[in-house]
Amino acid sequence: MMMRHAWLALALSLAVTVAHAQASAPVASLDRSHVGNGETVTLNIDVGDDDLGNPDLSPLSADFQVLGTSTNHTLSIINGRREAHTILGVALRPKHEGQLTVPALTIGGQATQPLPLTVEATSTSPADASNRPVVLEGKVDPAQGYVGQQFDYTLRLYFAVNLADGQLGDPSAEGAEIRRIGSDANYQTERGGRRFNVVERHYAIIPQHPGRLVVQAPGFQGTAVDPTDMNSFFGAGSPVNAVAQPQNVDVQARPANAPDGAWLPARSLKLSLDGFPADGTARVGQPMTLGMRLDATGLPFEALPALSLPKLDGADVYPDKAVTGSSSSGPWITGRRQQGFAVVPTRPGTLHIPETTLHWWNVVTDKPETATLPARDIVVAAGSGVPVAPPASPASGGMQPVGSPATAGTVAAPVGQVAGLTSWRWIAVGLAALWVLTLLAWAVWARRRRDTVPAGAPAVRPEARRPGPAREDFLKATDAGDAVSIERALLGWARVIRPGIRSLGDLAAALRPGLQREAIGALQRARFGQGGLDTAGIRTAFAGGFDWAPSSVGPADQGGLPPLYPR
């Protein structure tokens, strides 16, 4: 039991990492999906932490003019984990109007995905920016959707004057969460035969209630200066301002045909599970580290459900701390949730990991979809501590040790039997060495365990070998509120009455099903960080002594001990 706890402590102390057998394909995105004729658009290629070189830009020449390229390196540390990203930016200007496609580009032997782009005709209406020095416009995409879905609000400031200063506010909407996405984009465009500078900003709007949502656009206030006017050097200038029109959004409730469970209205969703042994085999008592990851475009990580494995028959599962975060790909939020699991097989045979499904709603196709992790089977071999069965004895009645005198009527053992005896002797020596190493590892673990007891925690007294003092030590330990001290004191008290008890599992098996077994399960979960420590409940459960089961029930009975991590 002690060694099993040592294995579990080792498994829980390891940081769960999600390994990839090969580099992820580069991901391409546009900073906006609709542009006017003559405007510029930026193609961003995220190559992660890989040095893939420069992409082949020749496929762009058919419909676009390449204005320039840039490289942006970012490094972030989330919960102690390093994540590096390299983004390659390509400034493009469409050559004509219509529905265009940014073709797939090859970089580092891998291809990006093609992207659609709408190029609209230049507006020449009287309300256009050609008649005013500063214009502010806001637009929501899409115009209707569902509660909890992300809407993209694009705010564009057009100005054809030199601005000395300016203040641009943020939109507001009652009953919705609004987040600013990415950084401002700066480019130039021509409208009504006049050249304008443009500042473009994106916001994510997530409605919290169905109904009509009114997005109140912000305003702009600034000061325009004339470079040819000498007075502008002394602070003189003309005030300019602009206000965008409010935007209305039709927010619908969750569809009636949406599947039960978490409501996940996303543009795309991906669920993955990796970390399985390469050869498909595992051993009893040796933990496997599995990593589950959920990525959803159009949803922040706060909206994603907690990840879990199905109940496994033949293995204990210990979840690690979840890693979460949100990033942006163009105007859309991408929420990420990662969860690691230490899976410890408890018996040899076949470990079946059932299929896992996650239902979500595709807001692009307006249809329900399902992300599925297929079932997996892992062959579990016996652990290194399982005794090996001896070879079958010959029909003559068995072999004698080498060098022992033969009895009357017997002959010397064949050479093959002598070699077999020698090999088994070496196996016995090896097992003995492993046993010694096991004792040393247990001693180191026990010493570290004692070191974790706080200085102020009560120690077990020598006179606690009697039930009365042992019970007092247990009550003092519950007052101190330390799980390690409570466990030691409770086992010390129990061993005074029944010396054969060696662990909390033995104690729980020796008790009647009920409150005391539940208290032991809660204490075990608190010891391994899976719940709070209820000292009052533990004290109350054992205040009147132990509720022993009938003598026929021994430590081998495991029926009443709840799992360490109930599912």
Side-chain angles (χ1 to χ4, degrees):
M1 190 68 181
M2 291 296 185
M3 284 307 301
R4 185 179 180 185
H5 283 175
W7 274 114
L8 299 183
L10 177 62
L12 292 176
S13 65
L14 295 176
V16 177
T17 58
V18 180
H20 297 277
Q22 57 183 7
S24 301
V27 179
S29 62
L30 296 173
D31 63 344
R32 50 204 180 111
S33 57
H34 293 74
V35 297
N37 190 15
E39 297 181 1
T40 59
V41 62
T42 301
L43 170 64
N44 296 310
I45 304 176
D46 189 345
V47 297
D49 196 14
D50 304 308
D51 185 9
L52 302 179
N54 296 320
D56 179 15
L57 303 180
S58 57
L60 298 170
S61 59
D63 296 318
F64 300 92
Q65 178 184 358
V66 179
L67 303 180
T69 60
S70 62
T71 303
N72 182 28
H73 301 279
T74 62
L75 176 64
S76 60
I77 298 178
I78 302 176
N79 292 337
R81 298 188 180 185
R82 174 183 177 274
E83 288 192 3
H85 285 275
T86 299
I87 299 178
L88 307 178
V90 183
L92 304 175
R93 178 175 291 166
K95 294 182 178 180
H96 54 85
E97 304 169 3
Q99 296 290 334
L100 305 184
T101 299
V102 179
L105 302 180
T106 301
I107 175 173
Q110 302 183 73
T112 65
Q113 76 278 18
L115 301 171
L117 177 66
T118 302
V119 181
E120 302 172 343
T122 302
S123 175
T124 56
S125 63
D128 190 63
S130 59
N131 298 324
R132 288 175 287 172
V134 178
V135 170
L136 190 61
E137 295 180 354
K139 182 181 179 180
V140 178
D141 181 36
Q144 64 178 11
Y146 295 99
V147 61
Q149 172 184 344
Q150 179 201 344
F151 293 80
D152 172 42
Y153 181 83
T154 305
L155 186 65
R156 295 188 181 97
L157 174 67
Y158 298 84
F159 58 97
V161 293
N162 294 298
L163 295 176
D165 56 56
Q167 293 183 352
L168 179 61
D170 296 326
S172 61
E174 185 177 356
E177 177 187 355
I178 298 181
R179 302 184 182 186
R180 185 172 171 178
I181 302 297
S183 56
D184 294 346
N186 297 273
Y187 55 93
Q188 291 185 338
T189 186
E190 185 175 320
R191 306 182 75 175
R194 189 178 183 185
R195 178 67 64 179
F196 285 87
N197 297 306
V198 184
V199 176
E200 182 175 304
R201 185 176 295 177
H202 288 270
Y203 296 86
I205 298 180
I206 305 176
Q208 306 299 313
H209 310 285
R212 184 181 181 184
L213 180 68
V214 180
V215 182
Q216 299 294 341
F220 171 79
Q221 293 182 348
T223 303
V225 296
D226 185 358
T228 62
D229 185 1
M230 295 297 296
N231 292 328
S232 63
F233 289 98
F234 301 98
S238 303
V240 292
N241 60 77
V243 178
Q245 296 297 320
Q247 298 290 310
N248 296 327
V249 181
D250 181 16
V251 181
Q252 303 176 20
R254 176 175 178 166
N257 60 334
D260 296 334
W263 169 239
L264 301 174
R267 302 181 65 84
S268 65
L269 186 142
K270 181 181 179 182
L271 182 65
S272 61
L273 178 65
D274 54 18
F276 293 99
D279 57 357
T281 61
R283 285 189 175 275
V284 173
Q286 296 184 1
M288 295 181 297
T289 299
L290 303 184
M292 186 180 294
R293 176 164 178 162
L294 174 62
D295 295 89
T297 301
L299 288 175
F301 78 89
E302 296 90 345
L304 302 181
L307 302 179
S308 62
L309 285 176
K311 184 177 181 180
L312 303 183
D313 183 15
D316 293 331
V317 179
Y318 303 91
D320 194 11
K321 183 178 180 181
V323 178
T324 58
S326 296
S327 59
S328 60
S329 177
W332 305 107
I333 294 176
T334 298
R336 181 186 76 257
R337 183 177 289 272
Q338 294 174 253
Q339 181 69 63
F341 304 92
V343 180
V344 185
T346 57
R347 65 169 180 262
T350 300
L351 176 61
H352 178 71
I353 300 181
E355 177 184 88
T356 300
T357 58
L358 179 63
H359 300 285
W360 63 288
W361 190 271
N362 192 325
V363 298
V364 178
T365 62
D366 199 21
K367 295 180 180 179
E369 294 195 19
T370 302
T372 303
L373 295 177
R376 296 287 295 265
D377 287 333
I378 300 175
V379 178
V380 180
S384 58
V386 177
V388 181
S393 60
S396 59
M399 295 178 294
Q400 295 192 16
V402 177
S404 62
T407 58
T410 62
V411 295
V415 177
Q417 292 184 356
V418 174
L421 286 174
T422 304
S423 63
W424 277 106
R425 182 173 298 174
W426 281 112
I427 292 175
V429 172
L431 291 177
L434 288 176
W435 179 74
V436 172
L437 291 176
T438 300
L439 289 180
L440 292 176
W442 177 84
V444 172
W445 174 81
R447 182 175 181 179
R448 292 182 178 177
R449 181 186 175 194
R450 290 194 300 268
D451 292 341
T452 59
V453 180
V460 178
R461 301 170 295 171
E463 63 271 18
R465 295 181 179 178
R466 297 190 303 272
R471 178 178 177 275
E472 294 177 3
D473 286 341
F474 166 73
L475 297 178
K476 291 180 180 180
T478 58
D479 293 336
D482 177 67
V484 176
S485 301
I486 295 175
E487 178 182 349
R488 294 179 61 192
L490 182 60
L491 287 176
W493 181 17
R495 289 167 184 165
V496 172
I497 304 173
R498 295 196 177 184
I501 292 177
R502 290 291 179 264
S503 65
L504 288 180
D506 292 346
L507 176 58
L511 298 173
R512 293 180 183 271
L515 183 61
Q516 291 188 348
R517 283 192 177 185
E518 296 174 359
I520 291 177
L523 177 58
Q524 288 181 305
R525 290 190 291 273
R527 284 277 285 110
F528 288 94
Q530 292 295 314
L533 180 62
D534 184 11
T535 56
I538 298 174
R539 182 187 182 101
T540 302
F542 292 95
F546 296 98
D547 185 15
W548 302 109
S551 58
S552 59
V553 180
D557 180 16
Q558 301 294 328
L561 181 60
L564 185 58
Y565 294 95
R567 300 175 178 85

